[in-house]
Amino acid sequence: MADGKIEVFQDLYLYKRESNREVLRTALIKAATTPWRHHAEQEKKIIECTGTNDDVIVFKRDESDGIDAVELSLWSDNSGFKVSNIVPCELGSLGEYKYNLALQDFVNQVVTPAKKITEFDVINSQSRQGLDDWLTPDAAKALRQFSGTPNKSTGSSHPADRRRWLTFIFAVHRANLSLNAELLQRWFIEVASWPQDIAQELAIEYEFALEILQQYEAESP
């Protein structure tokens, strides 16, 4: 892709400072109007099924304006709430684009009006992300150097490519970064145009190498 980024599931955190979470909960429920509504019955089902002591809020949205009918769940997180999932009311899955569309509609239709009732902080991650969002400058540089190889059919098997690949993995480990293998695989395919089977092999190598490094470090005296 021209911008070097891919569509990812967005995160949404809502924090109420210097106040209990109940104030924020009340404001969000009060602000929900058509096509959104509070789904108290589903909240009870979730709590009964999971046995959780966490605070859970569930909203339901009717299908309209090109947005699917969905259920959005908020789970307590420190002094606020985090969107834990958005699922379609019908069978199937939303995918990143439709998920983010519903999330942003929730922000516009519920979160923004709720902020007029009580002040709270909103942290909403970007829908399109790339290496500079996930990695340190050193790690991003190392991955770009590895990915720039003219032969993308051999993965990391060539000695020179192997050195660049390991440099990237070591940089990720040293910085304790949280880039998961699935996102890395998607970046290889969608941005860097690697063959799907090779990208999958590299993602497996990456995940396994990090596990070894973490385990070695944990068991070292």
Side-chain angles (χ1 to χ4, degrees):
M1 296 185 178
D3 63 357
K5 298 188 176 187
I6 60 176
E7 185 92 13
V8 299
F9 292 110
Q10 289 180 267
D11 292 320
L12 179 65
Y13 302 87
L14 310 175
Y15 292 108
K16 177 67 176 170
R17 296 182 180 180
E18 299 178 359
S19 181
N20 63 54
R21 202 164 41 234
E22 188 62 31
V23 175
L24 175 52
R25 175 189 178 91
T26 300
L28 290 168
I29 292 173
K30 186 175 181 180
T33 56
T34 304
W36 292 93
R37 64 182 181 277
H38 180 217
H39 197 353
E41 182 179 344
Q42 185 64 12
E43 281 177 16
K44 293 178 183 178
K45 289 181 180 178
I46 290 174
I47 292 170
E48 288 173 359
C49 290
T50 62
T52 183
N53 292 321
D54 293 340
D55 194 2
V56 181
I57 317 176
V58 179
F59 293 93
K60 187 171 184 178
R61 190 197 192 282
D62 297 326
E63 181 180 2
S64 65
D65 301 322
I67 301 174
D68 292 358
V70 297
E71 285 184 1
L72 179 149
S73 301
L74 290 158
W75 284 67
S76 56
D77 182 75
N78 297 323
S79 59
F81 293 92
K82 175 185 177 180
V83 171
S84 63
N85 205 3
I86 304 175
V87 297
C89 294
E90 303 295 333
L91 293 176
S93 60
L94 293 173
E96 290 86 357
Y97 177 75
K98 288 186 176 181
Y99 181 102
N100 293 340
L101 202 61
L103 183 69
Q104 290 310 306
D105 188 71
F106 178 73
V107 171
N108 295 336
Q109 302 287 346
V110 180
V111 173
T112 299
K115 284 179 65 68
K116 296 178 180 179
I117 299 173
T118 183
E119 279 298 317
F120 57 91
D121 295 326
V122 179
I123 301 176
N124 191 186
S125 66
Q126 295 296 314
S127 63
R128 293 184 61 78
Q129 298 178 15
L131 299 187
D132 296 326
D133 299 296
W134 308 323
L135 303 172
T136 61
D138 285 347
K141 179 181 178 181
L143 182 55
R144 288 188 176 103
Q145 287 178 337
F146 166 73
S147 182
T149 178
N151 188 355
K152 290 182 166 62
S153 64
T154 57
S156 62
S157 61
H158 189 281
D161 293 334
R162 171 66 64 173
R163 287 193 295 272
R164 286 189 283 266
W165 178 234
L166 292 177
T167 296
F168 161 65
I169 291 175
F170 293 153
V172 171
H173 176 69
R174 281 195 302 270
N176 194 28
L177 301 173
S178 58
L179 172 62
N180 63 53
E182 181 183 357
L183 274 181
L184 179 61
Q185 180 177 331
R186 286 188 58 204
W187 183 87
F188 273 128
I189 296 169
E190 298 176 34
V191 175
S193 301
W194 284 72
Q196 186 169 348
D197 58 336
I198 302 298
Q200 185 176 22
E201 289 177 9
L202 289 170
I204 293 171
E205 282 183 22
Y206 166 82
E207 190 170 47
F208 185 56
L210 286 181
E211 287 179 2
I212 291 176
L213 289 169
Q214 290 163 2
Q215 187 67 25
Y216 175 78
E217 198 169 78
E219 294 185 5
S220 297

